[in-house]
Amino acid sequence: MQYIVSIFNSVFYGTAFKAIFQDGGEELSKIIVAAYARYCVSNPLHPDVFPAVRKMEAEIVAMVLKMYHAPEGGAGTMTSGGTESIIMAVKTYRDWARSVKGITEPEM
């Protein structure tokens, strides 16, 4: 239990630099906890089982496309974060470089 209290203190009193991105106060924390409690047993990687996830992802992508003034036919996708997001960004840039710049053997 002391370990959990220590983590809580480091997150909410500022000693966990850039490990947690949430500074919305107690009200936002309550909303996050309620959302987690409601959906923690689902696996959003299966939108066939949880169709609301597909709808939510489509709405988020549409909002971001609008926010960034995407051109006609613009598209987007969501990732689960972390490594997957980095890999998809690199793949997207690689595919773009191949089709636009003619780069067939990219290096990292």
Side-chain angles (χ1 to χ4, degrees), residues 33-96:
V33 169
Y36 179 77
R38 185 171 184 176
Y39 296 106
C40 68
V41 297
S42 68
N43 183 346
L45 297 176
H46 296 281
D48 53 322
V49 178
F50 303 100
V53 171
R54 181 177 288 131
K55 182 177 187 292
M56 180 174 47
E57 286 182 358
E59 290 172 353
I60 292 168
V61 168
M63 286 187 280
V64 171
L65 289 172
K66 183 177 180 180
M67 186 169 55
Y68 284 98
H69 308 289
E72 186 68 32
T77 187
M78 289 185 62
T79 62
S80 60
T83 303
E84 180 188 14
S85 297
I86 294 168
I87 290 170
M88 292 306 294
V90 170
K91 179 192 179 304
T92 300
Y93 190 73
R94 181 207 63 190
D95 294 349
W96 174 85

